[in-house]
Amino acid sequence: MNSEIAGQLNEAGTLMLVGMGFVFAFLALLIGGIKLIEITCRRFPGAPEPVASASGKKKVEQQSSEGVAPQTIAAISAAIHQHRQTKTKQQEHA
Amino acid sequence: MEKFSILWDSTALAHFHYQQLIMMGVGLLLLYLAIVKKFEPLLLIPIGFGALLTNIPLAGFSEPGGLLYYIYEVGIETGVFPLLIFMGVGAMTDFGALIANPRMLLLGAAAQFGIFATLFGAIALNLIPGFEFSLKDASAIAIIGGADGPTAIFLASRLSPDLLGAIAVAAYSYMALVPIIQPPIMKALTTKEERQIKMAQLRPVSQREKIIFPLAVLILTILFLPSATPLVGMFCFGNLMKECGVVERLSKTTQNELINTTTIFLGLAVGSKLSADKFLTVETLGILGLGAVAFAIGTATGVLMAKLMSRLSGGTINPLIGAAGVSAVPMAARVVNKVGLQANPHNFLLMHAMGPNVAGVLGSAVAAGVLLALVG
């Protein structure tokens, strides 16, 4: 009986090593993949027109959001965040 | 008089078994936790109600011919419901934070150690008389450490359907308990200075990168881990619908109506597995215990990995964000943000924690694929 469990433990141990190894390898590969996508997107900044021409309405929206300064966006998102934070706190107290 | 005894015989009162009463109590407890304590109400309400229905004597909800029996057979036995939910989760997930800082994938990977350590722990429990977990059972229990409901239900339905009720309840309960389980572990493993580290603002990510990303993930999964393609494939499909911007109607349906409808039936079907003979066992206690251990270990290894990365990068990474690697989106990321704010009231880690958080979803799907390939 105990030798059976020992065998199972052995198997579980192997599974642990192989599994963790695989998960790490897979996600590390994905890091490379993301870097590759970033580089290709940067090298071929491709015309944004084709995407926009498909839906003209979209383009306007996108442009308007791009027109906002990054500092403003940062400030707004920080404010929203703080607001949400206080809201969740209130909920927790409730 | 004879008629009276026939009438009495047709009431539930004459047929109640004390175990059914206990299980109805469990159902009511789940309803209480959902309604009063607001623990994952979207799931615990259908699950709790399903538990009530399935334990009604004479009604036969979970026997062939009964409603819950068919819902279970159609949705969970086949694996369809968890996969539809996963598609919805994909359609609600923004990978921007991860694409901007892909190293965060390592944190998502490290936190999956909780799964594999629990697998070992579940087998070790066999040393105690009364526990007899097979390797399949142990794998299904271990995936609780992935902190991902649909993944846990999918894997349990494939590997160990008898334990599904307990596993699903444990997974969702601990996800609700993330704000209680995680902070002490996070604080114990980091110093105050480390918790105060501010991280550089993330670069903006173009729409094209966001569109290519799910396709790249899918191609990698196809090449290296086909057994994970049901989960990862549906997830990427949902995400592509969200990011491509040309099928807004489909994306909206996936994020709202479809996932809500599926959640109702998934919950009821899981509840139907909360019958006395399957739930009132020592194994359930073991599963609840192991689930908590899995969460704790996953959090700890995530934080330790982040600590290592912080050291190697010269202190530009706040080790707290490692805790978000256990998935449980977005709860874990919020917890990280909260603990970070306690150390430094001007340090907002939420966006930085979203990276490891969504990486954890991918990580647990990959881990589930590995378990399916090796054990299933």
Side-chain angles (χ1 to χ4, degrees):
Chain A
M1 185 64 205
N2 255 354
S3 70
E4 194 188 316
I5 293 178
Q8 276 185 321
L9 277 178
N10 197 1
E11 211 172 333
T14 329
L15 208 62
M16 183 157 89
L17 292 178
V18 174
M20 266 327 271
F22 190 89
V23 171
F24 260 106
F26 188 90
L27 294 184
L29 209 62
L30 195 56
I31 296 182
I34 296 177
K35 289 273 179 209
L36 201 71
I37 296 172
E38 188 193 336
I39 292 167
T40 10
C41 280
R42 217 177 265 170
R43 180 164 294 181
F44 307 103
E49 278 78 34
V51 185
S53 65
S55 53
K57 216 175 171 185
K58 262 250 163 77
K59 193 185 163 196
V60 178
E61 281 172 10
Q62 271 177 357
Q63 275 180 339
S64 69
S65 78
E66 274 162 14
V68 182
Q71 290 97 326
T72 320
I73 292 179
I76 292 172
S77 47
I80 290 175
H81 175 71
Q82 205 162 19
H83 172 71
R84 285 199 183 136
Q85 205 59 31
T86 49
K87 221 165 67 175
T88 49
K89 255 184 207 159
Q90 278 166 354
Q91 276 172 354
E92 271 160 33
H93 286 302
Chain B
M1 198 59 209
E2 199 183 314
K3 289 272 188 285
F4 184 76
S5 78
I6 292 173
L7 195 64
W8 168 246
D9 212 37
S10 68
T11 63
L13 287 171
H15 292 271
F16 260 126
H17 195 273
Y18 78 95
Q19 288 187 322
Q20 287 169 325
L21 287 174
I22 295 176
M23 288 315 294
M24 285 187 150
V26 171
L28 287 174
L29 174 72
L30 294 179
L31 290 178
Y32 168 80
L33 289 176
I35 297 169
V36 182
K37 297 281 177 191
K38 310 271 190 302
F39 277 12
E40 298 279 334
L42 292 176
L43 277 142
L44 288 192
I45 287 199
I47 292 178
F49 210 85
L52 283 184
L53 293 180
T54 196
N55 286 295
I56 300 173
L58 303 179
F61 270 99
S62 299
E63 287 151 27
L67 173 69
L68 295 183
Y69 172 82
Y70 289 116
I71 294 180
Y72 181 84
E73 289 292 310
V74 167
I76 293 192
E77 179 72 34
T78 57
V80 168
F81 285 169
L83 293 178
L84 287 179
I85 301 245
F86 220 51
M87 177 172 77
V89 174
M92 290 195 275
T93 303
D94 184 353
F95 279 106
L98 182 63
I99 299 173
N101 193 359
R103 278 181 303 170
M104 294 299 129
L105 278 166
L106 292 179
L107 299 177
Q112 306 314 318
F113 187 69
I115 295 179
F116 293 101
T118 309
L119 173 64
F120 195 78
I123 296 292
L125 262 190
N126 284 346
L127 292 168
I128 303 171
F131 288 102
E132 271 182 48
F133 291 129
S134 68
L135 211 54
K136 284 188 177 187
D137 295 339
S139 309
I141 297 166
I143 201 73
I144 298 173
D148 199 327
T151 308
I153 292 173
F154 180 73
L155 201 71
S157 72
R158 305 287 95 176
L159 296 179
S160 184
D162 280 349
L163 299 179
L164 191 134
I167 289 173
V169 167
Y172 284 116
S173 316
Y174 289 128
M175 275 164 70
L177 290 175
V178 157
I180 299 166
I181 299 176
Q182 285 197 320
I185 301 170
M186 292 156 72
K187 285 179 190 161
L189 291 176
T190 52
T191 63
K192 182 130 203 235
E193 289 74 44
E194 284 171 329
R195 289 201 292 276
Q196 287 174 335
I197 295 177
K198 281 198 178 183
M199 293 178 66
Q201 213 189 328
L202 296 170
R203 74 172 173 89
V205 174
S206 70
Q207 195 198 8
R208 277 209 299 168
E209 283 172 273
K210 286 187 177 176
I211 294 176
I212 299 172
F213 178 77
L215 295 173
V217 174
L218 182 61
I219 289 169
L220 276 183
T221 318
I222 292 171
L223 292 179
F224 296 106
L225 194 60
S227 59
T229 41
L231 282 167
V232 176
M234 292 307 276
F235 190 73
C236 291
F237 176 45
N239 191 247
L240 182 66
M241 284 198 283
K242 169 184 189 280
E243 299 296 356
C244 69
V246 291
V247 286
E248 218 159 287
R249 282 169 36 183
L250 302 189
S251 161
K252 277 210 176 111
T253 303
T254 317
Q255 290 177 35
N256 299 292
E257 294 86 350
L258 185 59
I259 199 171
N260 290 342
T261 313
T262 316
T263 302
I264 292 174
F265 290 121
L266 179 87
L268 282 174
V270 168
S272 80
K273 281 281 152 180
L274 294 184
S275 57
D277 55 324
K278 303 250 168 61
F279 196 81
L280 292 180
T281 56
V282 222
E283 268 107 353
T284 303
L285 285 181
I287 291 170
L288 290 174
L290 286 167
V293 172
F295 259 69
I297 295 180
T299 306
T301 48
V303 172
L304 289 176
M305 183 74 190
K307 232 174 133 118
L308 179 71
M309 286 170 68
S310 181
R311 292 270 160 82
L312 292 180
S313 70
T316 55
I317 292 175
N318 189 319
L320 287 179
I321 62 170
V326 295
S327 46
V329 183
M331 190 86 88
R334 285 199 200 133
V335 170
V336 169
N337 193 49
K338 202 171 164 186
V339 178
L341 285 175
Q342 282 170 5
N344 176 356
H346 302 290
N347 196 6
F348 296 103
L349 292 171
L350 189 68
M351 275 321 283
H352 298 286
M354 280 319 282
N357 213 187
V358 295
V361 178
L362 285 179
S364 47
V366 172
V370 171
L371 290 175
L372 270 180
L374 296 180
V375 183

